[in-house]
Amino acid sequence: MPLSEQEQRLLEEMERGLYHNDADFVATVGGSSLRPNYRSISIGVLAAVAGIGGLIAGVAIQQLWLGVLGFMIMFGGVLIATTPSKSARRMSASAPRSRPNQQQSSSQRGFMDRMNERWDRRQDGQQ
């Protein structure tokens, strides 16, 4: 069921308020500006493929140690491919956190409290 025009306007207003008032939340939830490390991804994928090959070879020739070694290599390759590099972690940890220009009391209240208060003010103005 599509939203009515009033509901769409209300949703857009809430989104604008969220972007304006909760910059930290938007920065946290929003996409990362860091580029993926393609070198570690390719090395991880190659290690995972080699590990799968070792696992299959270990099962085929019935050598338990080769299968376990292949599994460990495969697992390590997946970890290498999916974990961010040390420089990316350092960059994200040292990124400056912006604080919105608000009163202390409004920043201590929750998002829903502020939305309810704005809703009440809007309803009082319309009646």
Side-chain angles (χ1 to χ4, degrees):
M1 180 166 69
L3 296 175
S4 68
E5 288 182 24
Q6 180 184 4
E7 291 170 334
Q8 288 177 346
R9 280 193 315 257
L10 179 63
L11 180 61
E12 289 172 0
E13 184 177 328
M14 289 173 67
E15 288 176 350
R16 281 193 304 269
L18 175 66
Y19 289 132
H20 179 71
N21 294 332
D22 292 336
D24 288 341
F25 175 73
V26 172
T28 302
V29 173
S32 173
S33 62
L34 301 175
R35 292 182 11 203
N37 187 353
Y38 294 111
R39 181 178 179 200
S40 66
I41 291 172
S42 61
I43 290 172
V45 168
L46 289 174
V49 169
I52 290 173
L55 179 66
I56 292 172
V59 170
I61 62 174
Q62 296 180 352
Q63 293 293 321
L64 179 64
W65 65 271
L66 186 58
V68 171
L69 181 66
F71 178 79
M72 290 190 316
I73 292 172
M74 178 184 63
F75 185 72
V78 169
L79 285 179
I80 290 171
T82 58
T83 55
S85 65
K86 292 178 184 174
S87 62
R89 279 182 268 166
R90 236 183 290 125
M91 287 176 61
S92 66
S94 66
R97 304 282 181 177
S98 63
R99 295 295 304 168
N101 298 344
Q102 294 179 351
Q103 300 174 6
Q104 182 66 16
S105 61
S106 66
S107 66
Q108 289 177 347
R109 293 183 309 186
F111 173 72
M112 290 306 295
D113 292 335
R114 291 193 306 267
M115 288 294 113
N116 286 334
E117 182 181 327
R118 288 176 65 192
W119 176 260
D120 291 339
R121 278 188 276 142
R122 191 170 26 253
Q123 292 301 319
D124 291 340
Q126 290 179 357
Q127 292 178 353

